[in-house]
């Protein structure tokens, strides 16, 4: 009986060790889902860049992904972003014929709500590149502050956000990791506070954050 017990223990140890080596070789477990919180830096493009040209690190994003088949996943993104810039003396004319010549301060803040669909190429590895697209909308406010006057617009829009990036695990068996991504965003939003109405607004973003992985 003692010999049988020893043999069973040896077999179980060998099986467990081989399973661990196999898991390590593949880079870890297959995620069931993950949640991310990231810090975003935004770069305005086109007419949006004419409004505010300075890049802005004032933004964050919270997202979740659920794997439906191998590397295919669905999820959501919600966040907040702000861009701002001060400009030199300009003259603004009111509807009543009045004029103000002063420095001005422009800023836009936005709250995006999107569903996301993507594909992770190596979900069991330590580093897995991915591609995805977000579809949804944003609430935006555009503000032009001249002395004590605040001229502003509130707008909702439709938006598309293709993204490429990578999820990086902190270890073979770790539930924590990091995310690094770069995206392009196109929206139906526009600005009418200065001169002619702008075209649709677009921007690029750099995303760095933490990820909690469930298996």
């Amino acid at each position: 009986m003692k010999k049988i017990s020893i043999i069973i223990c040896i077999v179980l140890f060998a099986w467990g060790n081989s399973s661990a080596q196999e898991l390590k070789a593949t880079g870890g477990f297959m995620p069931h889902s993950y949640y991310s919180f990231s810090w975003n830096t935004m770069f305005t493009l086109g007419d949006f860049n004419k409004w505010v040209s300075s890049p802005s690190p004032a933004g964050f994003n919270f997202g979740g992904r659920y794997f439906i088949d191998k590397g295919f996943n669905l999820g959501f993104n919600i966040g907040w972003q702000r861009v701002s810039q001060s400009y030199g003396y300009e003259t603004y004319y009111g509807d009543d014929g009045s004029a103000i010549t002063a420095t001005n301060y422009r800023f836009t803040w936005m709250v995006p709500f999107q569903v996301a669909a993507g594909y992770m190429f190596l979900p069991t590895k330590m580093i897995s590149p991915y591609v995805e697209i977000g579809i949804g909308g944003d609430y935006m406010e555009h503000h032009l502050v001249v002395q004590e006057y605040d001229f502003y617009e509130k707008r909702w829009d439709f938006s598309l956000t293709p993204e490429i990036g990578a999820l990086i695990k902190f270890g073979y068996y770790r539930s924590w990791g990091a995310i690094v991504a770069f995206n392009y965003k196109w929206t139906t939003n526009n600005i009418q506070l200065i001169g002619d109405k702008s075209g649709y607004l677009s921007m690029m973003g750099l995303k760095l954050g933490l990820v909690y992985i469930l298996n």
Side-chain angles (χ1 to χ4, degrees):
M1 185 67 182
K2 185 177 180 180
K3 291 182 178 179
I4 294 175
S5 298
I6 293 173
I7 292 172
I8 292 174
C9 289
I10 293 173
V11 172
L12 290 175
F13 176 79
W15 177 82
N17 186 62
S18 64
S19 297
Q21 292 299 322
E22 182 180 353
L23 184 61
K24 187 173 181 179
T26 61
F29 55 82
M30 173 66 194
H32 171 270
S33 58
Y34 69 86
Y35 297 90
S36 64
F37 185 85
S38 60
W39 164 64
N40 294 350
T41 298
M42 193 174 81
F43 305 85
T44 56
L45 301 173
D47 283 353
F48 202 5
N49 188 259
K50 296 175 183 177
W51 167 251
V52 170
S53 60
S54 297
S56 173
F60 67 85
N61 180 82
F62 175 70
R65 301 292 185 274
Y66 175 76
F67 287 86
I68 55 176
D69 182 30
K70 296 181 179 179
F72 291 99
N73 58 80
L74 294 174
F76 67 90
N77 284 316
I78 58 175
W80 179 86
Q81 188 80 44
R82 188 178 192 271
V83 293
S84 61
Q85 190 168 350
S86 293
Y87 288 84
Y89 279 86
E90 294 184 12
T91 301
Y92 300 91
Y93 298 93
D95 296 334
D96 59 355
S98 60
I100 302 174
T101 300
T103 58
N104 70 92
Y105 178 66
R106 307 175 193 176
F107 68 92
T108 292
W109 64 269
M110 64 191 75
V111 179
F113 304 86
Q114 290 188 328
V115 295
Y119 182 77
M120 188 167 287
F121 293 95
L122 304 168
T124 62
K125 301 292 185 179
M126 287 280 288
I127 301 177
S128 179
Y130 71 86
V131 294
E132 70 174 36
I133 186 165
I135 303 173
D138 305 72
Y139 172 76
M140 284 193 189
E141 285 192 11
H142 309 293
H143 290 256
L144 171 62
V145 180
V146 184
Q147 292 184 341
E148 71 272 21
Y149 300 100
D150 182 4
F151 308 97
Y152 64 91
E153 299 172 339
K154 299 179 180 180
R155 296 185 182 279
W156 286 91
D157 65 39
F158 171 76
S159 62
L160 293 172
T161 308
E163 178 172 297
I164 59 172
L167 188 151
I168 305 165
K169 297 177 184 176
F170 290 156
Y172 289 114
Y173 313 105
R174 301 293 183 182
S175 295
W176 287 95
I179 192 168
V180 180
F182 189 73
N183 57 49
Y184 168 80
K185 185 172 187 177
W186 174 88
T187 80
T188 58
N189 219 295
N190 56 66
I191 303 171
Q192 300 184 49
L193 290 173
I194 294 181
D196 297 332
K197 174 180 175 180
S198 74
Y200 294 147
L201 303 183
S202 60
M203 62 215 79
M204 297 181 115
L206 175 64
K207 184 162 71 174
L208 303 171
L210 290 174
V211 177
Y212 183 68
I213 307 165
L214 301 175
N215 66 326

